[in-house]
Amino acid sequence: MGTVVYNIDPFSGTTQMQPWQWIFATCLIASFLQGASMGANDVANCFGTSVGAKVLTVTQACIAASIFITLGSMTIGSQVAKTVGKGIVNYRLFEDIPQLFALGMLTAAISTGLWVSLATWLSMPVSTTHSVVGSVMGFGLVQFGGSGIDWWPGVGKIVISWVASPVVTGIFSVAFYLTAKYWFLRKVQEDESRLEWGLKQQIFYMGIVLFLAFLTFLIFVTFKYDDEAVGMNLGIAFGVATAIAVAWIAGLHKPINGYYAKRGLIGGFHDEDETVAKDLDELDEVSSSSERDEENATAPAAAAPATASAAVGSAAVSGASQRSNAMSVVSSIMRSDADMRAEGLAPNDIWHPELESRFAFGQMVSACYEAIAFGANDIGNSSGTLIAVYQTIEYASVVSKPDPEYWALAYCTVGILAGLWLFGAKVMRTIGQNITLMTPIRGLSAELATAFSVLIASYVGIPVSTTHCSVGGVIGAGLCETQGYKKVNWKLMLKVAASWVLTLPVAMGLNALMYVICRGGTQGQWFVPPAAVVGNGVEDSFNDYEYTCTGNADLQTCTLTFPSELLVEQE
């Protein structure tokens, strides 16, 4: 046997990882495109209802999304990225074959993009999160079988969260909705003379909402960067949240509500016919602006239900037939008013228009808060594989406790925002014309509940589906209605659940196939030493190499052992 011993500088100059830098370069492209896909489709989860209710214009929604998605991804996003890279497969088994770990993460990123694109084309509302987790599991199973997966707490904790997250979101949504309903909405509905009292109570309710939103976000951020300074972290979080809530109650609500009043979204909507006409006129404007970007867009439907609820919510207006996406599923989970009337069900609760419309600002706040949660959790779908590939090649080994790579988070965030601005605006316009009834208080309850659930999962590093949580929030608010369980579109829910369950094994199988093909059939082929080290002194019998390296990120000593007859004299 012949032996060659040499030193290397990882990731620079001549290294044993040099032949695999193409993996990192390819993963850069795949991760950016995956982020763009999420920006084009999934961001509508956050702002679709606000655009549909005309609380925000499409341009305003895109600007707000850019700000708050970036805020969430750069402050809390590293936790989920770490789980995707190291918490699904049993990375310890790859310690001697880091090249294959990097290769598997690359094929996972590519197969995720392929499956999500195919599912979108087939109008299947799949989850990007499920796709990523399934793809990463795929190459671990191929390489090491069942032992290649971190079943507990890794995958087991993630799967449990997929079941628990929509349930928890539904509970949060019920709490927000019923609090407002029994605190002041129902009382004003029964006695309209108490309207002024109800408007004052709504101000306090929104103060509580603002307090909870800022409190939870600041707690998660401060404890992420210093989990030992408990007193200081809680003091900062409670202090800032209290100051904002007090400012709102003391007088900040006046100019904000005044702004929405000037836009015609607050007060004065007591004539139902005028209200419906106003909504249809505004929908005409949205449709006209979208025709420049959508050749296939059609005008709004000729008629809409003449109900006061249309004045303060998103009208159920039908446009051109569109491919299914996450938001269209969320907005269709509750049955339309027309369906309920046809079956003789009790109509949805209709609160006093002026009181209900005061939640317009709250709906915008909840949408921005949900955007923070989206950035904090979904950024890990695209950046997790990229970070794993980068650090594996940089250190020539599988890093057990990776540090946050903020450049990767920022890079993938740019991908999400690129997809949002290039294609997401079009999706928002379409959703704004097709969304089913989602009044501000229902939208506020569902979106706040979604944001709370997703942020909690992001803080502990669990990748959850934002769509899952959104569906749970909408159903939770809907169940609070009279005969609410009959108003849920359970047939659609069954189809959606089936597609979610199907995603995991399909993504797993797709990446398993892609990994086997890229691996070349035998892992020995991936242990070719740098030509600069052994020159041309070893012929191409790759499978006969024994290749080991020890050291740290600064210098590594590698030993190459091979049959002596393969050694060729150097000229």
Side-chain angles (χ1 to χ4, degrees):
M1 300 294 285
T3 301
V4 175
V5 179
Y6 55 95
N7 294 327
I8 62 168
D9 298 318
F11 206 62
S12 61
T14 300
T15 80
Q16 86 273 28
M17 295 300 290
Q18 201 78 26
W20 297 279
Q21 290 185 14
W22 67 269
I23 295 179
F24 173 62
T26 308
C27 198
L28 278 172
I29 300 173
S31 296
F32 188 89
L33 293 178
Q34 185 180 337
S37 175
M38 291 190 295
N41 292 280
D42 295 349
V43 176
N45 272 338
C46 307
F47 290 94
T49 54
S50 296
V51 171
K54 298 167 288 298
V55 173
L56 292 172
T57 65
V58 172
T59 301
Q60 289 172 338
C62 289
I63 293 174
S66 301
I67 295 172
F68 292 102
I69 288 174
T70 302
L71 180 61
S73 64
M74 298 306 295
T75 53
I76 312 177
S78 62
Q79 297 296 99
V80 174
K82 186 186 300 182
T83 299
V84 171
K86 296 297 186 295
I88 298 173
V89 297
N90 188 351
Y91 66 88
R92 295 176 183 84
L93 298 180
F94 287 88
E95 289 179 348
D96 294 331
I97 47 173
Q99 297 90 338
L100 292 182
F101 181 79
L103 178 69
M105 285 295 175
L106 169 63
T107 58
I110 296 175
S111 61
T112 296
L114 290 176
W115 166 240
V116 172
S117 298
L118 176 63
T120 301
W121 177 255
L122 296 175
S123 299
M124 296 176 60
V126 300
S127 166
T128 305
T129 303
H130 290 195
S131 302
V132 170
V133 173
S135 296
V136 173
M137 290 179 64
F139 83 87
L141 288 171
V142 167
Q143 190 64 41
F144 294 108
S147 61
I149 305 299
D150 182 4
W151 295 106
W152 187 262
V155 173
K157 184 171 62 175
I158 294 173
V159 172
I160 290 175
S161 74
W162 289 348
V163 178
S165 58
V167 175
V168 172
T169 304
I171 294 173
F172 283 152
S173 182
V174 168
F176 285 122
Y177 186 77
L178 290 186
T179 298
K181 178 178 180 178
Y182 289 104
W183 182 358
F184 52 89
L185 289 176
R186 190 172 182 178
K187 294 177 181 178
V188 173
Q189 191 70 13
E190 294 172 349
D191 183 2
E192 191 171 347
S193 64
R194 303 185 68 181
L195 176 60
E196 290 300 322
W197 171 84
L199 293 175
K200 292 180 180 179
Q201 304 312 305
Q202 192 272 344
I203 294 172
F204 288 108
Y205 179 88
M206 280 303 305
I208 295 174
V209 167
L210 291 172
F211 174 79
L212 291 176
F214 280 92
L215 176 68
T216 51
F217 174 69
L218 291 173
I219 285 178
F220 290 144
V221 171
T222 54
F223 274 91
K224 178 182 179 296
Y225 291 98
D226 188 358
D227 56 3
E228 295 182 357
V230 178
M232 183 180 70
N233 292 344
L234 292 178
I236 293 174
F238 273 94
V240 173
T242 301
I244 292 174
V246 170
W248 165 263
I249 295 172
L252 186 60
H253 64 277
K254 294 180 180 179
I256 292 177
N257 285 338
Y259 166 76
Y260 284 106
K262 289 180 180 179
R263 290 186 55 194
L265 294 176
I266 289 182
F269 297 147
H270 296 281
D271 188 302
E272 297 180 1
D273 293 333
E274 292 180 3
T275 291
V276 173
K278 183 177 181 62
D279 262 14
L280 291 177
D281 288 342
E282 292 182 348
L283 283 171
D284 279 331
E285 295 176 5
V286 174
S287 179
S288 298
S289 66
S290 67
E291 285 176 354
R292 294 190 296 269
D293 302 316
E294 302 175 55
E295 294 181 357
N296 296 326
T298 61
T307 60
S309 59
V312 293
S314 308
V317 181
S318 175
S321 177
Q322 300 288 337
R323 290 283 176 188
S324 174
N325 58 39
M327 192 61 222
S328 64
V329 170
V330 173
S331 64
S332 301
I333 285 297
M334 299 305 297
R335 300 171 64 185
S336 67
D337 282 338
D339 288 342
M340 290 186 290
R341 284 198 302 269
E343 295 190 15
L345 296 176
N348 285 311
D349 293 336
I350 300 175
W351 310 117
H352 194 285
E354 185 171 356
L355 181 59
E356 172 85 74
S357 65
R358 289 295 179 99
F359 288 100
F361 172 69
Q363 193 171 7
M364 186 201 71
V365 170
S366 63
C368 294
Y369 194 43
E370 188 175 355
I372 293 176
F374 174 87
N377 200 278
D378 286 42
I379 190 66
N381 293 339
S382 57
S383 65
T385 52
L386 177 61
I387 293 173
V389 168
Y390 169 75
Q391 293 186 339
T392 299
I393 294 179
E394 180 183 17
Y395 298 109
S397 63
V398 180
V399 181
S400 59
K401 294 182 179 180
D403 293 327
E405 297 289 351
Y406 289 103
W407 68 265
L409 296 175
Y411 174 80
C412 292
T413 301
V414 171
I416 292 176
L417 299 184
L420 166 65
W421 282 96
L422 291 175
F423 308 106
K426 178 179 178 180
V427 174
M428 286 186 189
R429 288 190 181 103
T430 301
I431 292 302
Q433 298 172 42
N434 289 279
I435 194 167
T436 57
L437 182 64
M438 182 64 72
T439 60
I441 182 58
R442 294 186 184 93
L444 170 68
S445 302
E447 290 169 356
L448 269 181
T450 299
F452 278 129
S453 299
V454 175
L455 273 179
I456 292 172
S458 301
Y459 179 73
V460 298
I462 299 178
V464 296
S465 170
T466 308
T467 308
H468 266 196
C469 296
S470 296
V471 169
V474 171
I475 291 178
L479 290 176
C480 296
E481 303 279 353
T482 304
Q483 294 181 307
Y485 67 95
K486 292 184 179 181
K487 299 177 181 179
V488 177
N489 191 339
W490 294 112
K491 290 183 179 180
L492 175 61
M493 188 65 246
L494 184 61
K495 294 179 181 178
V496 171
S499 69
W500 287 341
V501 173
L502 181 65
T503 293
L504 193 67
V506 170
M508 193 184 304
L510 180 60
N511 188 44
L513 177 62
M514 185 175 296
Y515 176 71
V516 169
I517 294 173
C518 293
R519 188 183 60 174
T522 58
Q523 69 181 46
Q525 288 181 313
W526 294 96
F527 291 88
V528 186
V533 175
V534 297
N536 296 318
V538 178
E539 295 178 348
D540 295 337
S541 298
F542 299 145
N543 293 333
D544 294 316
Y545 291 140
E546 293 181 13
Y547 183 46
T548 59
C549 292
T550 59
N552 52 43
D554 298 322
L555 184 68
Q556 294 199 358
T557 299
C558 296
T559 301
L560 175 68
T561 304
F562 50 89
S564 300
E565 62 267 20
L566 297 180
L567 184 61
V568 180
E569 292 185 8
Q570 302 293 304
E571 297 181 1

PDB file of all heavy atoms in Angstrom, residues 443-463:
ATOM      1  N   GLY A 443     -60.194  38.837  10.027  1.00  0.00           N
ATOM      2  CA  GLY A 443     -58.830  38.850   9.511  1.00  0.00           C
ATOM      3  C   GLY A 443     -57.816  39.135  10.601  1.00  0.00           C
ATOM      4  O   GLY A 443     -56.761  38.499  10.660  1.00  0.00           O
ATOM      5  N   LEU A 444     -58.138  40.092  11.477  1.00  0.00           N
ATOM      6  CA  LEU A 444     -57.256  40.415  12.593  1.00  0.00           C
ATOM      7  C   LEU A 444     -57.040  39.198  13.490  1.00  0.00           C
ATOM      8  O   LEU A 444     -55.903  38.868  13.850  1.00  0.00           O
ATOM      9  CB  LEU A 444     -57.865  41.559  13.399  1.00  0.00           C
ATOM     10  CG  LEU A 444     -57.201  41.897  14.745  1.00  0.00           C
ATOM     11  CD1 LEU A 444     -55.828  42.482  14.518  1.00  0.00           C
ATOM     12  CD2 LEU A 444     -58.064  42.863  15.545  1.00  0.00           C
ATOM     13  N   SER A 445     -58.111  38.510  13.841  1.00  0.00           N
ATOM     14  CA  SER A 445     -58.012  37.348  14.731  1.00  0.00           C
ATOM     15  C   SER A 445     -57.186  36.239  14.105  1.00  0.00           C
ATOM     16  O   SER A 445     -56.294  35.660  14.752  1.00  0.00           O
ATOM     17  CB  SER A 445     -59.418  36.828  15.066  1.00  0.00           C
ATOM     18  OG  SER A 445     -60.201  37.829  15.671  1.00  0.00           O
ATOM     19  N   ALA A 446     -57.453  35.921  12.841  1.00  0.00           N
ATOM     20  CA  ALA A 446     -56.742  34.828  12.169  1.00  0.00           C
ATOM     21  C   ALA A 446     -55.273  35.157  11.960  1.00  0.00           C
ATOM     22  O   ALA A 446     -54.396  34.307  12.187  1.00  0.00           O
ATOM     23  CB  ALA A 446     -57.413  34.528  10.834  1.00  0.00           C
ATOM     24  N   GLU A 447     -54.965  36.380  11.544  1.00  0.00           N
ATOM     25  CA  GLU A 447     -53.581  36.741  11.254  1.00  0.00           C
ATOM     26  C   GLU A 447     -52.745  36.870  12.516  1.00  0.00           C
ATOM     27  O   GLU A 447     -51.577  36.445  12.554  1.00  0.00           O
ATOM     28  CB  GLU A 447     -53.554  38.041  10.445  1.00  0.00           C
ATOM     29  CG  GLU A 447     -54.068  37.873   9.030  1.00  0.00           C
ATOM     30  CD  GLU A 447     -54.297  39.193   8.325  1.00  0.00           C
ATOM     31  OE1 GLU A 447     -54.131  40.249   8.981  1.00  0.00           O
ATOM     32  OE2 GLU A 447     -54.648  39.181   7.135  1.00  0.00           O
ATOM     33  N   LEU A 448     -53.315  37.468  13.559  1.00  0.00           N
ATOM     34  CA  LEU A 448     -52.575  37.558  14.823  1.00  0.00           C
ATOM     35  C   LEU A 448     -52.293  36.168  15.382  1.00  0.00           C
ATOM     36  O   LEU A 448     -51.183  35.893  15.852  1.00  0.00           O
ATOM     37  CB  LEU A 448     -53.379  38.369  15.840  1.00  0.00           C
ATOM     38  CG  LEU A 448     -53.144  39.874  15.897  1.00  0.00           C
ATOM     39  CD1 LEU A 448     -54.007  40.487  16.981  1.00  0.00           C
ATOM     40  CD2 LEU A 448     -51.673  40.188  16.152  1.00  0.00           C
ATOM     41  N   ALA A 449     -53.294  35.302  15.330  1.00  0.00           N
ATOM     42  CA  ALA A 449     -53.111  33.944  15.832  1.00  0.00           C
ATOM     43  C   ALA A 449     -52.029  33.214  15.047  1.00  0.00           C
ATOM     44  O   ALA A 449     -51.188  32.511  15.617  1.00  0.00           O
ATOM     45  CB  ALA A 449     -54.431  33.178  15.752  1.00  0.00           C
ATOM     46  N   THR A 450     -52.034  33.389  13.730  1.00  0.00           N
ATOM     47  CA  THR A 450     -51.009  32.764  12.889  1.00  0.00           C
ATOM     48  C   THR A 450     -49.628  33.275  13.254  1.00  0.00           C
ATOM     49  O   THR A 450     -48.674  32.495  13.387  1.00  0.00           O
ATOM     50  CB  THR A 450     -51.295  33.054  11.405  1.00  0.00           C
ATOM     51  OG1 THR A 450     -52.561  32.497  11.048  1.00  0.00           O
ATOM     52  CG2 THR A 450     -50.220  32.463  10.524  1.00  0.00           C
ATOM     53  N   ALA A 451     -49.514  34.585  13.411  1.00  0.00           N
ATOM     54  CA  ALA A 451     -48.209  35.171  13.740  1.00  0.00           C
ATOM     55  C   ALA A 451     -47.686  34.660  15.072  1.00  0.00           C
ATOM     56  O   ALA A 451     -46.501  34.324  15.198  1.00  0.00           O
ATOM     57  CB  ALA A 451     -48.329  36.694  13.766  1.00  0.00           C
ATOM     58  N   PHE A 452     -48.544  34.593  16.084  1.00  0.00           N
ATOM     59  CA  PHE A 452     -48.111  34.090  17.391  1.00  0.00           C
ATOM     60  C   PHE A 452     -47.591  32.667  17.275  1.00  0.00           C
ATOM     61  O   PHE A 452     -46.516  32.332  17.791  1.00  0.00           O
ATOM     62  CB  PHE A 452     -49.267  34.146  18.394  1.00  0.00           C
ATOM     63  CG  PHE A 452     -49.472  35.496  19.020  1.00  0.00           C
ATOM     64  CD1 PHE A 452     -50.722  36.096  19.040  1.00  0.00           C
ATOM     65  CD2 PHE A 452     -48.410  36.177  19.588  1.00  0.00           C
ATOM     66  CE1 PHE A 452     -50.913  37.337  19.604  1.00  0.00           C
ATOM     67  CE2 PHE A 452     -48.592  37.427  20.166  1.00  0.00           C
ATOM     68  CZ  PHE A 452     -49.843  38.017  20.172  1.00  0.00           C
ATOM     69  N   SER A 453     -48.342  31.804  16.607  1.00  0.00           N
ATOM     70  CA  SER A 453     -47.951  30.397  16.502  1.00  0.00           C
ATOM     71  C   SER A 453     -46.639  30.236  15.743  1.00  0.00           C
ATOM     72  O   SER A 453     -45.746  29.488  16.164  1.00  0.00           O
ATOM     73  CB  SER A 453     -49.061  29.597  15.804  1.00  0.00           C
ATOM     74  OG  SER A 453     -50.262  29.656  16.538  1.00  0.00           O
ATOM     75  N   VAL A 454     -46.516  30.925  14.615  1.00  0.00           N
ATOM     76  CA  VAL A 454     -45.316  30.783  13.786  1.00  0.00           C
ATOM     77  C   VAL A 454     -44.094  31.362  14.492  1.00  0.00           C
ATOM     78  O   VAL A 454     -42.989  30.810  14.404  1.00  0.00           O
ATOM     79  CB  VAL A 454     -45.543  31.454  12.415  1.00  0.00           C
ATOM     80  CG1 VAL A 454     -44.264  31.431  11.590  1.00  0.00           C
ATOM     81  CG2 VAL A 454     -46.656  30.747  11.652  1.00  0.00           C
ATOM     82  N   LEU A 455     -44.270  32.475  15.197  1.00  0.00           N
ATOM     83  CA  LEU A 455     -43.135  33.061  15.914  1.00  0.00           C
ATOM     84  C   LEU A 455     -42.646  32.152  17.036  1.00  0.00           C
ATOM     85  O   LEU A 455     -41.443  32.011  17.266  1.00  0.00           O
ATOM     86  CB  LEU A 455     -43.517  34.430  16.485  1.00  0.00           C
ATOM     87  CG  LEU A 455     -43.336  35.626  15.549  1.00  0.00           C
ATOM     88  CD1 LEU A 455     -43.788  36.907  16.242  1.00  0.00           C
ATOM     89  CD2 LEU A 455     -41.888  35.760  15.098  1.00  0.00           C
ATOM     90  N   ILE A 456     -43.579  31.536  17.744  1.00  0.00           N
ATOM     91  CA  ILE A 456     -43.185  30.601  18.798  1.00  0.00           C
ATOM     92  C   ILE A 456     -42.383  29.453  18.202  1.00  0.00           C
ATOM     93  O   ILE A 456     -41.327  29.059  18.721  1.00  0.00           O
ATOM     94  CB  ILE A 456     -44.430  30.069  19.540  1.00  0.00           C
ATOM     95  CG1 ILE A 456     -45.089  31.199  20.340  1.00  0.00           C
ATOM     96  CG2 ILE A 456     -44.055  28.914  20.475  1.00  0.00           C
ATOM     97  CD1 ILE A 456     -46.431  30.810  20.947  1.00  0.00           C
ATOM     98  N   ALA A 457     -42.874  28.905  17.088  1.00  0.00           N
ATOM     99  CA  ALA A 457     -42.160  27.811  16.422  1.00  0.00           C
ATOM    100  C   ALA A 457     -40.794  28.274  15.922  1.00  0.00           C
ATOM    101  O   ALA A 457     -39.803  27.531  16.008  1.00  0.00           O
ATOM    102  CB  ALA A 457     -42.996  27.277  15.260  1.00  0.00           C
ATOM    103  N   SER A 458     -40.713  29.490  15.415  1.00  0.00           N
ATOM    104  CA  SER A 458     -39.443  30.011  14.907  1.00  0.00           C
ATOM    105  C   SER A 458     -38.424  30.163  16.021  1.00  0.00           C
ATOM    106  O   SER A 458     -37.235  29.868  15.836  1.00  0.00           O
ATOM    107  CB  SER A 458     -39.675  31.368  14.225  1.00  0.00           C
ATOM    108  OG  SER A 458     -40.593  31.263  13.168  1.00  0.00           O
ATOM    109  N   TYR A 459     -38.878  30.623  17.166  1.00  0.00           N
ATOM    110  CA  TYR A 459     -37.955  30.833  18.288  1.00  0.00           C
ATOM    111  C   TYR A 459     -37.322  29.522  18.751  1.00  0.00           C
ATOM    112  O   TYR A 459     -36.135  29.474  19.088  1.00  0.00           O
ATOM    113  CB  TYR A 459     -38.683  31.499  19.445  1.00  0.00           C
ATOM    114  CG  TYR A 459     -37.807  31.728  20.655  1.00  0.00           C
ATOM    115  CD1 TYR A 459     -36.828  32.723  20.644  1.00  0.00           C
ATOM    116  CD2 TYR A 459     -37.936  30.948  21.796  1.00  0.00           C
ATOM    117  CE1 TYR A 459     -36.008  32.929  21.749  1.00  0.00           C
ATOM    118  CE2 TYR A 459     -37.126  31.150  22.897  1.00  0.00           C
ATOM    119  CZ  TYR A 459     -36.162  32.138  22.872  1.00  0.00           C
ATOM    120  OH  TYR A 459     -35.357  32.325  23.959  1.00  0.00           O
ATOM    121  N   VAL A 460     -38.109  28.447  18.749  1.00  0.00           N
ATOM    122  CA  VAL A 460     -37.571  27.154  19.192  1.00  0.00           C
ATOM    123  C   VAL A 460     -36.991  26.364  18.023  1.00  0.00           C
ATOM    124  O   VAL A 460     -36.520  25.239  18.202  1.00  0.00           O
ATOM    125  CB  VAL A 460     -38.645  26.313  19.906  1.00  0.00           C
ATOM    126  CG1 VAL A 460     -39.126  27.012  21.144  1.00  0.00           C
ATOM    127  CG2 VAL A 460     -39.828  26.024  18.975  1.00  0.00           C
ATOM    128  N   GLY A 461     -36.998  26.953  16.816  1.00  0.00           N
ATOM    129  CA  GLY A 461     -36.338  26.334  15.679  1.00  0.00           C
ATOM    130  C   GLY A 461     -37.116  25.242  14.981  1.00  0.00           C
ATOM    131  O   GLY A 461     -36.527  24.359  14.360  1.00  0.00           O
ATOM    132  N   ILE A 462     -38.445  25.278  15.039  1.00  0.00           N
ATOM    133  CA  ILE A 462     -39.262  24.252  14.384  1.00  0.00           C
ATOM    134  C   ILE A 462     -39.833  24.819  13.090  1.00  0.00           C
ATOM    135  O   ILE A 462     -40.537  25.825  13.111  1.00  0.00           O
ATOM    136  CB  ILE A 462     -40.419  23.789  15.292  1.00  0.00           C
ATOM    137  CG1 ILE A 462     -39.880  23.188  16.584  1.00  0.00           C
ATOM    138  CG2 ILE A 462     -41.288  22.772  14.563  1.00  0.00           C
ATOM    139  CD1 ILE A 462     -40.959  22.757  17.557  1.00  0.00           C
ATOM    140  N   PRO A 463     -39.536  24.184  11.947  1.00  0.00           N
ATOM    141  CA  PRO A 463     -40.124  24.652  10.688  1.00  0.00           C
ATOM    142  C   PRO A 463     -41.581  24.238  10.570  1.00  0.00           C
ATOM    143  O   PRO A 463     -41.905  23.056  10.499  1.00  0.00           O
ATOM    144  CB  PRO A 463     -39.262  23.956   9.616  1.00  0.00           C
ATOM    145  CG  PRO A 463     -38.722  22.734  10.284  1.00  0.00           C
ATOM    146  CD  PRO A 463     -38.591  23.066  11.744  1.00  0.00           C
TER     147      PRO A 463
END
